[in-house]
Amino acid sequence: MKILVCISRTPDTTAKIAFTDNNTKFATDGVQWIINPYDEWYALVRAIELKEKDPSTAVHLIHVGGADSEAIIRKALALGGDEAIRIQTEEQDPQFIAHQIARIAREGAYDLVLTGKETIDQNGSSMGALVAELLDTNYIALATRLDIEGSTAVVNREIEGGEETLSSPLPLVLSCQKGMAEARIPNMRGIMAARTRPLRVEEAQPVELCIHNASFTLPPPKAGVKLIPADTPELLVKLLREEAKAI
Amino acid sequence: MSILIYTEHQDGFVKKQSLEAICYGVAIATSSGEEAVVLVVGETTADLSSLGKYGVTRVLHVPSFSALSDTKAMAAVIDQAANSISATTVIFSNTITGKSVAPRVAVRLKAGFVSGVISLPDTSNGFRVNKNVFSGKAVTEIQVNSSKRVITLQPNAFEISAGEGVARVSQPEIAIPSSTIMVKEIKKTTGAIPLAEADRVISGGRGLKGPENWGMIEELAQLTGAATACSRAVADAHWRPHHEHVGQTGLAISPNLYFAVGISGAIQHLAGVNRSKTIVVINKDPEAPFFKSADYGIVGDAFEVMPKIIQAVKELG
Ligand SMILES: Cc1cc2nc3c(=O)[nH]c(=O)nc-3n(C[C@H](O)[C@H](O)[C@H](O)COP(=O)(O)OP(=O)(O)OC[C@H]3O[C@@H](n4cnc5c(N)ncnc54)[C@H](O)[C@@H]3O)c2cc1C
Ligand SMILES: Nc1ncnc2c1ncn2[C@@H]1O[C@H](COP(=O)(O)O)[C@@H](O)[C@H]1O
């Protein structure tokens, strides 16, 4: 079986969010970049677990982005990917990225394409569905469990107010979230091995762009907390009813 | 030319987020001079003509399609419906269904796609909408350049307003695609209000010391018609189920009321809740970072404060 894991890069969860160039660009100065947590903790680790069960499985990584992403790609390889592909571009349009991923997925005839549930910077939550439609394959979002039985995937996914178990033939695109696997940290052997694992770079294919980020703004700061003395909590209830109209 | 609004239903009711999406679509249609048309897929006992009171004139109903978990087949159905009315804009709510299907529809229609939109479009210079990015820490304005667009509306971002009116319901001719997805089992978390849809949320953190102390969270939730949630530390300790975990790596919510008890307010927690309208924080540490993002707060011991709050809510009736 061949698995393609989509790896995206996001600012560290504690990074200061600020903008430059007249609020049209994210200020990257001093920002620590990490693998998007859902991609690392759930999509990648589950792929590695499937390989551990069936050593004939190949786990390949794809990242669509610039050369400064190579550190996070190496980290993903250190966790256990066999090889990686980076598509060189600075473009952020999700449909543009989806076309690049879909091309690689098609050419490599992957059985499974795994993404994270969403990127924590763009919060698109759409990449898997875009890729699946371009490939004309099934897509299951927000998966919490994945097992492979022959040429069928058995997947649990979150639904509103519960969980559903689905089965789908392969190939399949899946977005992964909590439950799918337990986060791991790379060990020394993995880190050493990752240095020599293949990392192929390809040019992006041109795609017509549909959207772009025109500007960014920071939300206005809260006016400040109204503190209520601990010995009169009923006052809080009164304010929530009459002032905030929240209960 | 028209605006198509994909509408979700459950147990004979149209979902609240879908009513928000309908009102949003109607607002766009009114300013662009287009017709607002609702699409309902799957059998339902809901009175669809009554959706007219939100300003839609037509409802397309496809009762014979039932593979609602098959995103590929769903997209094929919605694509046909959108083409049958020459839709320029297709609107979903940013729910699990919206996230699963809307991007596929965008690809099929060659439309620009924006998820989690929080504003009406600004059409003074093309088509621009706002969405949250950086997990609620910033807002971006997105310019859509294509002639068609597909957007998902963030829950709780648009007011529902109802007037009078009756919509015409028809069953369009749609080729029903076959499905290769099989539903093997559905597990409902019964009784509780689903967190993603909740108007009010009562949430507990590690300050509550253990799962045995969640009675007061549940009681306040029950009294106020709220859903329950928790911090990641709590879900990781298995005090509460994983689906209750909110934050950067859990669910992102934006209810009218977020009531946090014994939660420190770490930046990753805030990322999932900072879009809530009113935030209340109960924490015994006056230095807890959460107070900086709160509207109301009590510095005090949850075990002393919560019973009094519950009592006061009961007295309010
Ligand atoms: C990459 C990454 C992603 C993360 N994602 C998330 C996420 O999605 N969601 C999330 O929640 N966390 C997330 N975290 C973890 C986050 O950083 C915090 O560790 C976590 O939110 C802490 O949970 P807590 O506030 O319940 O516990 P604590 O930090 O232990 O805080 C407990 C609070 O309770 C107060 N307290 C104690 N006793 C009482 C009492 N008797 N009465 C009142 N108050 C009391 C204390 O003063 C303290 O403020 C993430 C971390 C990382 C690194
Ligand atoms: N530039 C990228 N390169 C590779 N994978 C990506 C990229 N952007 C997003 N993804 C994948 O798509 C998922 C969802 O992203 P998004 O739709 O942007 O929220 C991420 O968790 C990644 O797995």
Side-chain angles (χ1 to χ4, degrees):
Chain A
M1 192 172 57
K2 285 183 80 181
I3 308 178
L4 185 64
V5 183
C6 301
I7 299 290
S8 55
R9 183 187 83 149
T10 54
D12 169 43
T13 56
T14 57
K16 179 171 167 356
I17 306 302
F19 302 97
T20 61
D21 292 23
N22 216 358
N23 286 326
T24 59
K25 283 205 174 67
F26 175 58
T28 53
D29 274 3
V31 168
Q32 276 290 114
W33 296 96
I34 57 170
I35 309 174
N36 187 49
Y38 297 107
D39 313 358
E40 176 183 339
W41 298 348
Y42 308 124
L44 177 56
V45 175
R46 187 61 192 144
I48 295 165
E49 287 173 356
L50 290 172
K51 187 185 165 77
E52 284 166 355
K53 265 204 214 152
D54 173 6
S56 71
T57 301
V59 177
H60 295 177
L61 316 178
I62 180 165
H63 173 74
V64 183
D68 50 355
S69 296
E70 296 211 344
I72 65 116
I73 301 176
R74 287 282 171 212
K75 180 177 176 203
L77 285 172
L79 279 159
D82 298 312
E83 58 178 81
I85 306 146
R86 180 172 69 80
I87 306 292
Q88 168 59 37
T89 178
E90 301 299 326
E91 190 45 60
Q92 295 279 328
D93 180 329
Q95 298 205 43
F96 178 95
I97 297 170
H99 271 94
Q100 314 304 325
I101 297 174
R103 179 178 71 83
I104 297 295
R106 197 181 298 118
E107 288 176 7
Y110 289 90
D111 304 289
L112 264 179
V113 179
L114 303 183
T115 76
K117 151 180 143 165
E118 70 179 75
T119 45
I120 63 174
D121 53 355
Q122 291 294 318
N123 303 124
S125 211
S126 63
M127 192 58 65
L130 294 171
V131 170
E133 188 59 40
L134 291 167
L135 295 172
D136 197 29
T137 62
N138 283 340
Y139 170 63
I140 301 174
L142 306 176
T144 54
R145 194 179 155 180
L146 161 67
D147 288 299
I148 303 294
E149 296 170 3
S151 59
T152 303
V154 180
V155 177
N156 283 14
R157 69 152 188 152
E158 183 188 338
I159 55 173
E160 265 108 21
E163 209 175 56
E164 186 175 74
T165 307
L166 302 174
S167 75
S168 165
L170 301 174
L172 170 68
V173 182
L174 210 64
S175 88
C176 306
Q177 64 163 338
K178 195 164 186 133
M180 185 59 101
E182 289 289 336
R184 295 184 178 184
I185 42 173
N187 58 27
M188 207 53 203
R189 225 179 74 210
I191 294 168
M192 296 306 285
R195 290 196 189 152
T196 53
R197 295 228 168 101
L199 197 175
R200 189 168 94 230
V201 180
E202 289 188 18
E203 283 304 310
Q205 306 249 306
V207 176
E208 202 184 329
L209 300 180
C210 292
I211 63 166
H212 76 267
N213 292 57
S215 67
F216 293 93
T217 43
L218 294 170
K222 285 263 180 188
V225 57
K226 209 177 243 184
L227 285 180
I228 291 116
D231 52 358
T232 56
E234 58 284 357
L235 182 58
L236 171 67
V237 174
K238 189 167 181 280
L239 286 169
L240 287 181
R241 168 69 56 101
E242 288 165 13
E243 190 178 79
K245 305 206 181 337
I247 57 173
Chain B
M1 300 229 282
S2 47
I3 310 258
L4 185 67
I5 306 133
Y6 179 80
T7 297
E8 297 173 47
H9 56 90
Q10 195 169 21
D11 309 327
F13 289 97
V14 170
K15 289 192 183 171
K16 172 172 169 264
Q17 294 101 314
S18 289
L19 295 179
E20 292 169 357
I22 289 172
C23 292
Y24 179 83
V26 166
I28 298 182
T30 306
S31 68
S32 64
E34 291 173 287
E35 187 187 12
V37 180
V38 157
L39 172 64
V40 177
V41 173
E43 275 194 66
T44 174
T45 55
D47 173 14
L48 299 177
S49 63
S50 73
L51 293 175
K53 67 175 185 267
Y54 302 102
V56 290
T57 44
R58 263 206 290 164
V59 176
L60 306 179
H61 187 202
V62 188
S64 53
F65 181 79
S66 58
L68 296 177
S69 297
D70 184 335
T71 60
K72 186 177 160 196
M74 279 272 273
V77 168
I78 298 168
D79 179 17
Q80 292 178 61
N83 281 319
S84 77
I85 58 160
S86 309
T88 57
T89 309
V90 182
I91 297 166
F92 292 78
S93 18
N94 196 30
T95 52
I96 294 173
T97 302
K99 289 175 184 176
S100 307
V101 180
R104 299 195 75 134
V105 174
V107 170
R108 295 182 79 105
L109 294 175
K110 301 202 167 25
F113 174 71
V114 189
S115 65
V117 167
I118 55 169
S119 71
L120 278 172
D122 172 356
T123 50
S124 60
N125 188 0
F127 186 99
R128 286 185 174 197
V129 282
N130 291 345
K131 74 163 282 185
N132 294 330
V133 281
F134 295 100
S135 303
K137 286 177 248 173
V139 173
T140 185
E141 192 185 24
I142 292 194
Q143 168 101 29
V144 187
N145 301 316
S146 47
S147 58
K148 291 181 192 170
R149 50 243 150 197
V150 174
I151 55 189
T152 68
L153 176 70
Q154 190 62 21
N156 282 325
F158 200 78
E159 290 282 321
I160 298 170
S161 61
E164 304 273 312
V166 176
R168 192 154 47 86
V169 182
S170 64
Q171 297 192 0
E173 284 222 10
I174 281 187
I176 302 294
S178 60
S179 173
T180 54
I181 295 254
M182 242 177 49
V183 180
K184 301 179 76 163
E185 195 185 350
I186 296 178
K187 263 193 240 133
K188 288 268 173 194
T189 33
T190 43
I193 297 173
L195 187 52
E197 297 163 35
D199 218 27
R200 291 181 273 275
V201 174
I202 317 291
S203 186
R206 201 148 54 182
L208 288 174
K209 307 285 188 276
E212 65 282 6
N213 297 324
W214 244 259
M216 51 195 193
I217 298 288
E218 277 165 354
E219 187 173 6
L220 184 58
Q222 209 228 332
L223 286 169
T224 55
T228 52
C230 67
S231 69
R232 178 165 146 212
V234 163
D236 282 351
H238 303 292
W239 295 358
R240 298 294 292 176
H242 277 314
H243 61 77
E244 282 200 358
H245 151 206
V246 291
Q248 184 122 55
T249 47
L251 200 64
I253 53 172
S254 48
N256 269 322
L257 174 69
Y258 185 71
F259 195 108
V261 187
I263 302 177
S264 58
I267 191 158
Q268 298 93 352
H269 185 84
L270 293 176
V273 303
N274 55 9
R275 290 277 143 188
S276 311
K277 206 158 182 186
T278 300
I279 296 179
V280 178
V281 170
I282 314 282
N283 196 304
K284 70 174 183 192
D285 174 9
E287 301 295 324
F290 219 150
F291 284 118
K292 289 203 186 68
S293 306
D295 299 285
Y296 299 96
I298 294 182
V299 179
D301 186 334
F303 295 93
E304 287 164 24
V305 172
M306 284 298 284
K308 291 187 197 151
I309 290 177
I310 288 167
Q311 188 55 36
V313 171
K314 278 185 183 156
E315 280 163 15
L316 213 58

